[in-house]
Amino acid sequence: MSARRVVPVLLLGLLVAGSLRAQPLPGQVIVHPDNPQLLYRNGVGPVFLVGPGDPEEFFYRGTEQPDGTFLGGNQDEILAEMIEHGGNTMYLTLIRSHGGDGPGHHNPFLNGDPDTGQLEPAMADQWEEWLTVMDDNGIIPTMIIFDDKSRPWGVGDVVPDMERQFIENLVNRYEHHRNLMWGIGEETSFYYYCDCNHHRVFSLPRIEAVAEIVHQADDHDHVIHNHHWVWDVGAPPRPPDRYWFHQGDSEYIDSWFIELGRHHDNNDTPEGLHASLLRAYELAVERDYSVTLAEVWSNNPYLAWEGGPHGTGHTLRWTNWAAAMSGANGVEILYIFTNRGNRTEEQRQNDLGYCRIQQEFLESTDFDTMVPRDDLAHATTNWVLANEGQSYLGYRYQGLGDMGFLGIPEEALRDLIWLDTVSGDRVEELNRVVGAGDQAFPPPGGFGEEVVLWMRLSPDQDGDLVLDDIDNCLDFPNPDQADADSDGAGDGCDPCPDDPLDDVDGDTHCADVDNCPTMSNGLQNDFDGDGAGDPCDPCPLDGEDDADGDGFCANIDNCLGLANPLQVDLDGDGAGDSCDPCPLDADDDGDGDGLCANLDNCPLLPNAEQADLDADGIGDDCDLDLDGDGFDNDVDCAPTDFGDGSMAPPLTDLRVGFSASQLRITWAPASEGLDDPEARHLVIRGDLTALHRDRGFDAACRLDGTNEPSFFDPAAGRSEPSWYYLVQGLNDCGVGELLVTAEARVGLSAMGLPACP
C-alpha cells in the first residue's frame, strides 16, 4: 500500500500529539476508509460520482471583465438544472492559458500573470460563489489545476517557486469546501502519445511533485486525482509513459481519471467497455487507488451518436452502469452542456435524471462492500458486484425474463430490491426465503429490459429465518423463538434462560441455580447448609431460619422452639423464660427433686416432699436446726424436739420456808436449759428420819413438777414430821443434777421415784 493511503490514520495520530494539521470535515468527500477503490462522504457513507464532464471551461464562460470575472455565461443555469434533475459531479479545468495565450485570460492569476503566484481576488470570489452553491447541493467539482495544453511555468521534473506559491494559495483559498476534489492535470499523457507539442508533456515526477504540494497545503486531506489519456488498457506492448498510471505507486495521488476511446477494444459495445474497465480496476486494486471513467471519446464519424461518444438514453445508461459494475468509483459524461453532445434539452434533462437514479440507488446500497463478480451472473443478468453470501448487485442492459445469481451459499432470509434504470421505479420484496444454489427471480411487472437487482441478507444476522426486529435472539439461531423465562431474550442467547432477571446480582450465577439470587454471592457460601446463601440468609448460622418466628435466629435465640421476642431471661442462665423449666432458678432444680430453687425449701439437696419440721422454710434435709429451737442438730440433744438443746442444768440456792401456813420450797431459777415450755422442775420429798437412818433416798417420793422456781407442799405442816426436799430440772434431754437440802446421793433420778401420796 502506498504512503498516500495511510495519511488519514497518520493525521489522527498527529492530532492526538498536538499537531495543527486538521482532519477531514464532516460530510467531506474522502478516500473510502475501508475500500481505497471508492470514495466516501466522511461520517455519512459511500459516494458514487456520476454527472457532466463539461463544460471544462465552466469558470470562464461569458465575457471577461476588467477585474477578471466573467459575466453573461450560463453557470447559474447549469447549476440550477443539475440541482433540479441530477448529476453530482462536474469536470472543471482551472489554468487553460498562459495569459494572453488563447481566447482571453482563461486563468486565475493576478492580472493574468503566472509569475505573481497570486489569485485574482475578484475572480477568486466569483469562483467561491459557484463552489458554495455546489457545496450546498452535494455537487462535487473535480478541480483540475492544469488543462491539457497549459504549462505556464514550463516543463521538466522540478516545480518552480511561483508554481508552488500559486498552488498553495489556490488550495488554502478553497480547502474549506466539503464537496471538492483536486486534480493535477488533464490528459497528461496525450501529447507524448501523439508526438505533438512534445515540450508541453507533464512528466511523472512533475505530476507527483505537484500532488505533494497540494497534499501538504490541504489541511483537510481532500482526494487528489490525475486525468490520464489511455484509450485502451489492452496487453503490452504499449509506450512506456502512455500507461504509467498503472506502472507504479504514487504516494500522493488517490485516484486516476481515465479516458477511453470508443473505437479501441470494442469500447463501443457494453461488453467491450465493461471488459476494458475491469482491466483498469484490476490495475487499481494492485496499487490501491480508484478509477473514474472521466471520458469516452472518438473521432470516428460512425460513432457520432446522439449525445456524442458517450451517448444519450440507453447508450448513456449502459456506459454509466458498465463503469459502476466494473468497480469504478464514478463516471463523468462528455458534452452534456455543450453543443457537441447533439442533445435536445429533453435529452439533457433525462440524461441528468438517469445520473441521479444511478447515484441515489447505488449510494442506498452497500456497493462499497462488493467487488466485480460477473462469474456469478445467472439467467439474464449481465454483470454482477457481490460480497458473496451477503449482498449481490446484478445489472441487465438488455433482455427479458428472470434475473439471478449463481452459487448462493445457504438458505436465508433475503431482500430483493429492484430498480428500473429508465423510470427510476424501485420495488422491494422483503424477507423472502431464498434457498442455496443457483437462484433466479422474475422482475416486477411493468419493468423493462434495463433492470438492476440488489439482493441482500434481510436483517437476520443469525440466519435463523427470523427477522432481527422480531428476533428474540439476534446473535444465535433460535428459530422456534423459545423463551423459557419469558424475559424477551431467546433461550439460544439468554445467559440465564430460566431466570427472567438474568443474574440480577451479577455474581455469575443465574437465579435458578443461585443460592442468593438478589445479592452477590459469587462463592455460593451457605454456612448452615439450608440452601439460602449467606448474604441473603436471614439466619446464616441457623438452618431453620428462626423456626419459632420470634425474630431471633437459633444461634442467638435463648429460647429455641418457643417464641421469646423480648429474650427475657430472669435467672440469667441463658435459657429464655418461655422455655426455661425454672425461669427463676439459674441451676434449673440443681438437686433434681422436681422443684425449682425458687420454690424448693432445700434447693441444694433433694427434698421432694418438702418436709420442714420447724416450718421455718428450710427443708429438713438441709435445716441445721430441725426443731428450730436455736440449737444446731449436731449439738442438740433432741434435734427433732423443740426445746432446750442440752441436759437440764443443776439448780442452786434451795430453800424451805413457810408462807401462809404452807410449806414453800424455792430455788434460784436456771439461767438456761429450762427454756422449753415443756421443761419443768421436779420436786422430791423424803422423810428426814429415814434419810438419817440409812443415808439414802429410798424413802423419798416425787411431788408434782413446776415451771416456777418455787413449790408449795400442801401436805406438809409445821407440826408434821421433818422432810427433806430435792429439786431436779427436767427437759427434753432428761433430768439434771439434784439440788438437795441435805446430803444427797448421786444418781438419784426423780423420774424413777413414786409419786408422793
Side-chain angles (χ1 to χ4, degrees), residues 483-537:
D483 181 9
D485 56 12
S486 300
D487 64 352
D491 293 348
C493 59
D494 193 336
C496 296
D498 294 308
D499 171 12
L501 298 180
D502 292 335
D503 184 25
V504 69
D505 59 5
D507 63 0
T508 72
H509 298 277
C510 299
D512 54 306
V513 294
D514 194 345
N515 64 12
C516 191
T518 59
M519 301 178 70
S520 186
N521 188 24
L523 297 179
Q524 296 290 282
N525 293 327
D526 179 13
F527 189 84
D528 58 12
D530 63 354
D534 292 347
C536 57
D537 192 338

Coordinates of all heavy atoms in Angstrom, one line a residue, residues 483-537:
D483 N -38.4 -19.1 24.7 CA -38.0 -18.2 25.8 C -38.6 -18.7 27.1 O -39.7 -18.2 27.5 CB -38.6 -16.8 25.4 CG -38.2 -15.7 26.4 OD1 -37.4 -16.0 27.3 OD2 -38.8 -14.6 26.3
A484 N -37.9 -19.6 27.7 CA -38.5 -20.3 28.9 C -38.8 -19.4 30.0 O -39.8 -19.6 30.7 CB -37.5 -21.4 29.4
D485 N -38.0 -18.3 30.2 CA -38.3 -17.4 31.4 C -39.1 -16.2 31.0 O -39.3 -15.3 31.8 CB -37.0 -17.0 32.1 CG -36.0 -16.3 31.1 OD1 -36.4 -16.0 30.0 OD2 -34.9 -16.2 31.5
S486 N -39.5 -16.1 29.7 CA -40.4 -15.0 29.2 C -39.8 -13.7 29.5 O -40.5 -12.7 29.8 CB -41.8 -15.2 29.8 OG -42.4 -16.4 29.5
D487 N -38.5 -13.5 29.4 CA -37.9 -12.2 29.6 C -37.6 -11.5 28.3 O -37.0 -10.4 28.3 CB -36.6 -12.4 30.4 CG -35.5 -13.2 29.7 OD1 -35.8 -13.7 28.6 OD2 -34.4 -13.2 30.2
G488 N -38.0 -12.0 27.2 CA -37.7 -11.4 25.9 C -36.5 -11.8 25.2 O -36.2 -11.5 24.1
A489 N -35.6 -12.5 26.0 CA -34.3 -13.0 25.4 C -34.5 -14.5 25.1 O -34.8 -15.2 26.0 CB -33.1 -12.7 26.4
G490 N -34.3 -14.8 23.9 CA -34.5 -16.2 23.5 C -33.5 -17.1 24.2 O -32.4 -16.7 24.5
D491 N -33.9 -18.4 24.4 CA -33.1 -19.3 25.1 C -31.7 -19.5 24.4 O -30.7 -19.7 25.1 CB -33.8 -20.7 25.2 CG -35.0 -20.6 26.1 OD1 -35.2 -19.6 26.8 OD2 -35.8 -21.6 26.0
G492 N -31.6 -19.4 23.1 CA -30.3 -19.6 22.4 C -29.3 -18.5 22.8 O -28.1 -18.8 22.7
C493 N -29.7 -17.4 23.3 CA -28.7 -16.3 23.6 C -28.9 -15.8 25.0 O -28.3 -14.8 25.4 CB -28.7 -15.2 22.6 SG -30.3 -14.4 22.5
D494 N -29.9 -16.3 25.8 CA -30.2 -15.9 27.1 C -29.1 -16.4 28.1 O -29.0 -17.6 28.2 CB -31.5 -16.3 27.5 CG -32.1 -15.6 28.8 OD1 -31.2 -15.1 29.5 OD2 -33.3 -15.5 29.0
P495 N -28.3 -15.6 28.7 CA -27.3 -16.1 29.6 C -27.9 -16.9 30.8 O -27.3 -17.7 31.4 CB -26.6 -14.8 30.1 CG -27.6 -13.7 29.9 CD -28.4 -14.1 28.7
C496 N -29.2 -16.6 31.1 CA -29.9 -17.3 32.1 C -31.3 -17.6 31.6 O -32.3 -16.9 31.9 CB -30.0 -16.4 33.4 SG -28.4 -16.0 34.2
P497 N -31.4 -18.7 30.8 CA -32.7 -19.0 30.2 C -33.8 -19.3 31.1 O -35.0 -19.2 30.7 CB -32.4 -20.2 29.3 CG -31.1 -20.8 29.9 CD -30.4 -19.7 30.5
D498 N -33.5 -19.6 32.4 CA -34.6 -19.9 33.3 C -34.7 -18.8 34.4 O -35.3 -19.0 35.5 CB -34.4 -21.2 34.0 CG -34.6 -22.4 33.0 OD1 -35.6 -22.4 32.4 OD2 -33.7 -23.2 32.9
D499 N -34.0 -17.7 34.1 CA -34.0 -16.5 35.1 C -34.4 -15.3 34.3 O -33.6 -14.7 33.6 CB -32.6 -16.4 35.7 CG -32.4 -15.2 36.5 OD1 -33.4 -14.5 36.8 OD2 -31.2 -14.8 36.8
P500 N -35.6 -14.8 34.5 CA -36.0 -13.6 33.8 C -35.2 -12.3 34.1 O -35.2 -11.4 33.2 CB -37.5 -13.4 34.2 CG -37.6 -14.2 35.5 CD -36.7 -15.3 35.4
L501 N -34.6 -12.3 35.2 CA -33.8 -11.1 35.5 C -32.3 -11.3 35.1 O -31.5 -10.4 35.3 CB -33.9 -10.8 37.0 CG -35.3 -10.5 37.5 CD1 -35.3 -10.2 39.0 CD2 -35.9 -9.3 36.8
D502 N -32.0 -12.4 34.6 CA -30.6 -12.7 34.1 C -29.5 -12.3 35.1 O -28.7 -11.4 34.8 CB -30.4 -11.9 32.7 CG -31.3 -12.5 31.6 OD1 -31.6 -13.7 31.7 OD2 -31.6 -11.8 30.7
D503 N -29.5 -13.0 36.2 CA -28.4 -12.8 37.2 C -28.4 -11.4 37.6 O -27.4 -10.7 37.4 CB -27.1 -13.3 36.6 CG -26.0 -13.2 37.7 OD1 -26.3 -13.3 38.9 OD2 -24.8 -13.1 37.3
V504 N -29.5 -10.9 38.2 CA -29.6 -9.5 38.5 C -28.6 -9.0 39.5 O -28.2 -7.9 39.5 CB -31.0 -9.2 39.1 CG1 -31.2 -9.9 40.5 CG2 -31.3 -7.7 39.2
D505 N -28.0 -9.9 40.3 CA -27.0 -9.5 41.3 C -25.6 -9.6 40.7 O -24.6 -9.2 41.4 CB -27.1 -10.3 42.6 CG -26.9 -11.8 42.3 OD1 -26.6 -12.2 41.2 OD2 -27.0 -12.6 43.3
G506 N -25.5 -10.1 39.5 CA -24.2 -10.0 38.8 C -23.1 -10.9 39.4 O -21.9 -10.6 39.2
D507 N -23.4 -12.0 40.0 CA -22.4 -12.8 40.6 C -22.1 -14.0 39.8 O -21.4 -15.0 40.3 CB -22.8 -13.3 42.0 CG -24.1 -14.1 42.0 OD1 -24.7 -14.4 40.9 OD2 -24.5 -14.5 43.1
T508 N -22.5 -14.0 38.5 CA -22.3 -15.1 37.5 C -23.1 -16.4 37.8 O -22.8 -17.4 37.2 CB -20.8 -15.5 37.4 OG1 -20.3 -16.2 38.5 CG2 -19.9 -14.2 37.2
H509 N -24.0 -16.3 38.7 CA -24.9 -17.4 38.9 C -26.4 -17.0 38.7 O -26.9 -16.1 39.3 CB -24.8 -17.9 40.4 CG -23.4 -18.4 40.8 ND1 -22.9 -19.6 40.5 CD2 -22.4 -17.7 41.4 CE1 -21.7 -19.8 40.9 NE2 -21.3 -18.6 41.4
C510 N -27.0 -17.7 37.7 CA -28.4 -17.4 37.4 C -29.3 -17.7 38.6 O -29.0 -18.6 39.4 CB -28.8 -18.2 36.2 SG -27.8 -17.9 34.7
A511 N -30.4 -17.0 38.6 CA -31.3 -17.1 39.7 C -31.7 -18.5 40.0 O -31.9 -18.9 41.2 CB -32.5 -16.2 39.6
D512 N -31.9 -19.3 38.9 CA -32.4 -20.7 39.1 C -31.4 -21.6 39.8 O -31.8 -22.7 40.3 CB -32.9 -21.3 37.8 CG -31.8 -21.2 36.7 OD1 -31.3 -20.1 36.5 OD2 -31.5 -22.3 36.1
V513 N -30.1 -21.2 39.8 CA -29.1 -22.0 40.4 C -28.4 -21.2 41.5 O -27.4 -21.7 42.1 CB -28.1 -22.6 39.4 CG1 -28.8 -23.6 38.5 CG2 -27.4 -21.5 38.6
D514 N -28.8 -20.0 41.7 CA -28.1 -19.1 42.7 C -28.7 -19.2 44.0 O -30.0 -19.1 44.2 CB -28.3 -17.6 42.2 CG -27.3 -16.7 42.9 OD1 -26.8 -17.0 43.9 OD2 -27.2 -15.5 42.4
N515 N -27.9 -19.5 45.0 CA -28.5 -19.7 46.4 C -28.8 -18.4 47.0 O -29.2 -18.3 48.2 CB -27.6 -20.6 47.3 CG -26.2 -19.9 47.6 OD1 -26.0 -18.8 47.3 ND2 -25.3 -20.8 48.1
C516 N -28.5 -17.3 46.3 CA -28.8 -15.9 46.8 C -29.0 -15.1 45.6 O -28.2 -14.3 45.1 CB -27.6 -15.4 47.6 SG -27.9 -13.9 48.5
P517 N -30.2 -15.1 45.0 CA -30.5 -14.6 43.6 C -30.4 -13.0 43.5 O -30.1 -12.5 42.5 CB -31.9 -15.0 43.3 CG -32.2 -16.1 44.3 CD -31.4 -15.9 45.5
T518 N -30.6 -12.3 44.6 CA -30.7 -10.9 44.6 C -29.5 -10.2 45.2 O -29.4 -9.0 45.2 CB -32.0 -10.4 45.2 OG1 -32.0 -10.8 46.6 CG2 -33.2 -10.9 44.5
M519 N -28.6 -10.9 45.8 CA -27.4 -10.3 46.4 C -26.2 -11.1 45.9 O -26.2 -12.4 45.8 CB -27.5 -10.3 47.9 CG -28.7 -9.6 48.4 SD -28.8 -9.6 50.3 CE -27.4 -8.6 50.7
S520 N -25.1 -10.4 45.6 CA -23.9 -11.1 45.1 C -23.3 -12.1 46.0 O -22.9 -11.7 47.2 CB -22.9 -10.0 44.7 OG -21.8 -10.6 44.0
N521 N -23.2 -13.3 45.6 CA -22.6 -14.4 46.4 C -21.8 -15.3 45.4 O -22.2 -16.4 45.2 CB -23.7 -15.1 47.1 CG -23.2 -16.2 48.1 OD1 -22.1 -16.0 48.6 ND2 -24.0 -17.2 48.4
G522 N -20.8 -14.7 44.9 CA -20.0 -15.4 43.8 C -19.5 -16.8 44.3 O -19.5 -17.7 43.5
L523 N -19.2 -17.0 45.6 CA -18.7 -18.2 46.0 C -19.8 -19.2 46.5 O -19.5 -20.3 46.9 CB -17.7 -18.0 47.2 CG -16.4 -17.2 46.8 CD1 -15.5 -17.0 48.0 CD2 -15.6 -17.9 45.7
Q524 N -21.0 -18.7 46.5 CA -22.2 -19.5 46.9 C -22.0 -20.0 48.3 O -22.4 -21.2 48.6 CB -22.4 -20.6 45.9 CG -22.8 -20.2 44.5 CD -24.2 -19.6 44.4 OE1 -25.2 -20.2 44.4 NE2 -24.2 -18.2 44.4
N525 N -21.5 -19.2 49.2 CA -21.3 -19.6 50.6 C -22.7 -19.9 51.2 O -23.6 -19.1 51.1 CB -20.6 -18.5 51.4 CG -19.2 -18.4 50.9 OD1 -18.5 -19.3 50.5 ND2 -18.7 -17.1 51.0
D526 N -22.8 -21.0 52.0 CA -24.0 -21.4 52.7 C -23.6 -22.1 53.9 O -23.6 -23.3 54.0 CB -24.9 -22.2 51.8 CG -26.2 -22.7 52.5 OD1 -26.5 -22.1 53.5 OD2 -26.9 -23.6 51.9
F527 N -23.3 -21.4 55.0 CA -22.7 -22.0 56.2 C -23.6 -23.0 56.8 O -23.1 -24.0 57.3 CB -22.3 -20.9 57.1 CG -21.4 -21.3 58.3 CD1 -20.1 -21.5 58.2 CD2 -22.0 -21.7 59.5 CE1 -19.3 -21.9 59.2 CE2 -21.3 -22.1 60.6 CZ -19.9 -22.3 60.4
D528 N -24.9 -22.6 56.9 CA -25.8 -23.5 57.7 C -26.4 -24.6 56.8 O -27.2 -25.4 57.2 CB -26.9 -22.7 58.4 CG -27.7 -21.9 57.4 OD1 -27.6 -22.1 56.2 OD2 -28.5 -21.0 57.9
G529 N -26.0 -24.6 55.4 CA -26.5 -25.7 54.6 C -28.0 -25.7 54.3 O -28.5 -26.8 54.0
D530 N -28.7 -24.6 54.5 CA -30.1 -24.6 54.3 C -30.6 -24.2 52.9 O -31.7 -24.1 52.6 CB -30.8 -23.7 55.3 CG -30.4 -22.2 55.1 OD1 -29.5 -21.9 54.3 OD2 -31.0 -21.4 55.8
G531 N -29.6 -24.0 52.0 CA -29.9 -23.7 50.6 C -30.0 -22.2 50.3 O -30.1 -21.8 49.2
A532 N -30.0 -21.4 51.4 CA -30.0 -19.9 51.2 C -28.6 -19.4 51.4 O -28.0 -19.6 52.5 CB -31.0 -19.3 52.2
G533 N -28.0 -18.7 50.4 CA -26.7 -18.2 50.5 C -26.6 -17.2 51.7 O -27.5 -16.5 52.0
D534 N -25.4 -17.2 52.2 CA -25.2 -16.4 53.4 C -25.6 -14.9 53.3 O -26.2 -14.4 54.2 CB -23.7 -16.5 53.9 CG -23.4 -17.9 54.4 OD1 -24.3 -18.7 54.6 OD2 -22.2 -18.2 54.6
P535 N -25.2 -14.2 52.2 CA -25.6 -12.8 52.1 C -27.1 -12.5 52.2 O -27.5 -11.4 52.6 CB -25.0 -12.3 50.8 CG -23.9 -13.3 50.5 CD -24.4 -14.6 51.0
C536 N -27.9 -13.5 51.7 CA -29.3 -13.2 51.8 C -30.1 -14.1 52.7 O -31.3 -14.1 52.7 CB -29.9 -13.3 50.4 SG -29.7 -14.9 49.6
D537 N -29.3 -14.9 53.5 CA -30.0 -15.8 54.5 C -30.3 -15.0 55.8 O -29.3 -14.4 56.4 CB -29.0 -16.9 54.9 CG -29.7 -18.1 55.6 OD1 -30.7 -17.8 56.3 OD2 -29.2 -19.2 55.6

